[in-house]
Amino acid sequence: MPPRISDSTVRRLSHYLRGLEEAERRGVPTVSSQDMAVWGGTTAAQVRKDLSQFGSFGKRGMGYAVPRLAQRLREIMGLDHPWKIALVGAGRIGSALHAYPRFRERGFQCMAVLDSDPEKIGQHWGSTVVEDVADLERIIREREVRMVILAVPASAAQEVADRAVSAGARGILNFAPTRLRVPPEVSVANVNLVIEMEALSFDLTRKARGG
Amino acid sequence: MPPRISDSTVRRLSHYLRGLEEAERRGVPTVSSQDMAVWGGTTAAQVRKDLSQFGSFGKRGMGYAVPRLAQRLREIMGLDHPWKIALVGAGRIGSALHAYPRFRERGFQCMAVLDSDPEKIGQHWGSTVVEDVADLERIIREREVRMVILAVPASAAQEVADRAVSAGARGILNFAPTRLRVPPEVSVANVNLVIEMEALSFDLTRKARGG
DNA sequence: TCCTGTGAAACGGTTCACAGCC
DNA sequence: GGCTGTGAACCGTTTCACAGGA
């Protein structure tokens, strides 16, 4: 029974891994928790606590062997193998995401781009052809898609999510400003740009008032 | 000296406000903390705690008067007046953000779109013309821009951020996968899509393993 | 000596439970 | 009776401090 890992820990692990891979490229042999703390925007103690939840990867007095720790972190995060994803919504956000090179670099393979708009269906996006969202279930099943990026209007998000889940998708990156209801075996990450802007508005307002 | 307000509280306030404005439109006169809890994906007690940090807005036995609370929340969050923003980076993400109608609906007025690419400078985006990022400081000052959306490559993000801050910007929505260093009077919200995907990867991997 | 791994303490956010007002 | 506002309890995360191995 694995203990609960907090969301903030997971985010920091991403940062550690990014730093480790940069160090790997440079041929740095070992790093200290202090080095990783800088990458993760945290403290050395926090880094060690984070890592200790998964095992003991360092050597006292020495630090951590970069290739070994990077490999272990990739395994822990499930990034030691590619993920097959599908992009639903071929609007502007969808187009930007599809062109975003870092997804592919990180091992997220886009198996399909889907939309409901007849104007968009059939368009060529690089080597990908936009397909009909009516075929969502079949495509997810046939191409073994495990994650879906939802870049559809809020009004369609829940329905598309339900269908994707029923076809076997287990992770959803949701750009629609809606709280999706999904079964517990499914994970959802929400990206809500208006909330981010409103949080900035709050912060700035508070700083302007309170000092 | 206002007490610290947690980030999670701020996000919930956004949700409460969205629900309140929907209720306002429908002419609902009062709501309970339980109603708001549903909007914010939390509990009634949490709603009351959140609100209590800013004052007492409800009536015991009655609930909260919708228009009054909505107005107070807009004031608290600094959403009772428009915000002037600028968009730096006229690539695909920038283009998607510029077309995103919810920013404008929510009172975020885009005063400029900037890029360094001569091909893009001069392009017409609706009624906006893409301008040269070399004029960033002048434009921020002249048009009283307070927030900047950074949709530029990671390699340019810090430099653009520094220049925006020096010209008077105080909020940054950062899409570049970099941790920006800014003075304490400046607030930054990061949107890091790879981290969101990696968090999904972690979750799914963990669920598949642990049960 | 250097730096990790880890219990213990401190902190902050959430939940509980109830007093108080409508 | 119903629902808010809030101190107190609870719980998870972060920080501290140090024991222990290289």
Side-chain angles (χ1 to χ4, degrees):
Chain A
M1 300 310 96
R4 245 220 132 51
I5 306 297
S6 76
D7 196 61
S8 30
T9 296
V10 177
R11 290 182 132 76
R12 286 192 300 264
L13 292 182
S14 280
H15 286 293
Y16 305 155
L17 180 55
R18 185 133 41 239
L20 282 166
E21 296 189 336
E22 174 64 23
E24 225 173 1
R25 248 173 275 127
R26 296 193 196 169
V28 177
T30 61
V31 295
S32 67
S33 51
Q34 180 53 47
D35 297 330
M36 279 189 267
V38 174
W39 304 335
T42 182
T43 65
Q46 180 73 72
V47 172
R48 297 199 298 273
K49 253 291 184 313
D50 286 341
L51 295 178
S52 76
Q53 300 189 75
F54 303 99
S56 298
F57 308 117
K59 286 205 165 55
R60 296 169 198 244
M62 303 276 108
Y64 301 85
V66 167
R68 184 173 117 83
L69 181 56
Q71 180 53 28
R72 278 300 287 127
L73 274 188
R74 278 189 289 263
E75 288 165 20
I76 288 165
M77 302 198 67
L79 296 169
D80 53 337
H81 58 84
W83 285 95
K84 294 176 179 168
I85 69 175
L87 172 59
V88 189
R92 288 168 182 272
I93 294 181
S95 142
L97 296 172
H98 185 256
Y100 193 57
R102 286 171 202 275
F103 284 142
R104 176 159 290 272
E105 284 167 20
R106 268 288 165 221
F108 297 99
Q109 301 180 342
C110 185
M111 309 301 288
V113 179
L114 305 162
D115 204 293
S116 61
D117 180 353
E119 294 265 321
K120 300 223 176 75
I121 296 168
Q123 278 184 7
H124 287 255
W125 282 18
S127 57
T128 310
V129 179
V130 178
E131 296 173 87
D132 191 336
V133 76
D135 298 325
L136 178 71
E137 288 92 335
R138 180 178 59 74
I139 289 169
I140 287 179
R141 257 190 284 268
E142 286 182 2
R143 303 183 198 166
E144 298 177 311
V145 167
R146 301 300 314 280
M147 292 189 191
V148 165
I149 301 182
L150 274 195
V152 301
S155 54
Q158 183 64 60
E159 189 222 317
V160 175
D162 290 344
R163 291 175 50 206
V165 169
S166 77
R170 288 295 171 265
I172 299 175
L173 182 61
N174 176 36
F175 282 83
T178 320
R179 200 181 304 284
L180 297 177
R181 311 196 111 246
V182 296
E185 70 271 21
V186 176
S187 299
V188 177
N190 290 295
V191 178
N192 190 322
L193 303 174
V194 168
I195 287 186
E196 300 302 329
M197 291 298 282
E198 292 189 352
L200 286 176
S201 168
F202 176 87
D203 267 27
L204 267 49
T205 302
R206 198 128 245 267
K207 282 174 178 163
R209 284 209 265 263
Chain B
M1 301 308 97
R4 248 221 133 53
I5 306 296
S6 77
D7 196 60
S8 30
T9 297
V10 177
R11 290 183 133 76
R12 287 192 298 264
L13 292 181
S14 281
H15 286 293
Y16 304 156
L17 180 54
R18 186 136 36 241
L20 282 165
E21 295 189 336
E22 174 63 24
E24 225 173 0
R25 249 173 275 126
R26 294 194 196 169
V28 178
T30 62
V31 294
S32 67
S33 51
Q34 180 52 49
D35 297 330
M36 279 188 269
V38 174
W39 303 334
T42 182
T43 64
Q46 181 71 73
V47 172
R48 296 199 298 275
K49 253 292 186 305
D50 286 340
L51 296 178
S52 76
Q53 301 190 76
F54 303 98
S56 298
F57 308 119
K59 285 204 167 54
R60 292 166 201 245
M62 303 275 109
Y64 300 86
V66 168
R68 185 172 117 81
L69 181 56
Q71 180 54 29
R72 279 300 286 126
L73 273 188
R74 277 189 290 263
E75 288 166 19
I76 288 165
M77 303 199 65
L79 296 169
D80 53 336
H81 58 82
W83 285 96
K84 292 175 180 169
I85 70 176
L87 171 60
V88 189
R92 286 168 184 272
I93 294 181
S95 144
L97 296 171
H98 185 257
Y100 193 56
R102 288 172 201 274
F103 284 144
R104 177 159 289 274
E105 284 166 18
R106 266 291 164 221
F108 297 98
Q109 302 179 342
C110 185
M111 307 301 289
V113 178
L114 305 162
D115 204 294
S116 61
D117 179 354
E119 294 264 321
K120 298 222 177 77
I121 297 167
Q123 279 184 5
H124 287 254
W125 283 16
S127 57
T128 311
V129 177
V130 178
E131 296 173 87
D132 191 336
V133 75
D135 298 326
L136 178 72
E137 288 92 332
R138 180 179 59 74
I139 289 169
I140 287 178
R141 257 189 285 269
E142 287 182 4
R143 303 182 198 168
E144 298 177 310
V145 167
R146 301 301 312 283
M147 291 189 192
V148 166
I149 300 182
L150 274 195
V152 302
S155 55
Q158 183 65 58
E159 190 223 316
V160 175
D162 291 343
R163 293 173 51 206
V165 168
S166 77
R170 288 295 172 264
I172 300 175
L173 182 62
N174 176 37
F175 282 83
T178 320
R179 202 181 301 283
L180 298 176
R181 311 195 110 247
V182 297
E185 70 271 21
V186 177
S187 299
V188 177
N190 290 296
V191 177
N192 190 322
L193 302 176
V194 169
I195 288 186
E196 301 301 330
M197 292 299 282
E198 293 189 350
L200 287 177
S201 168
F202 176 87
D203 267 27
L204 267 50
T205 302
R206 199 126 243 269
K207 281 174 178 164
R209 283 208 265 263

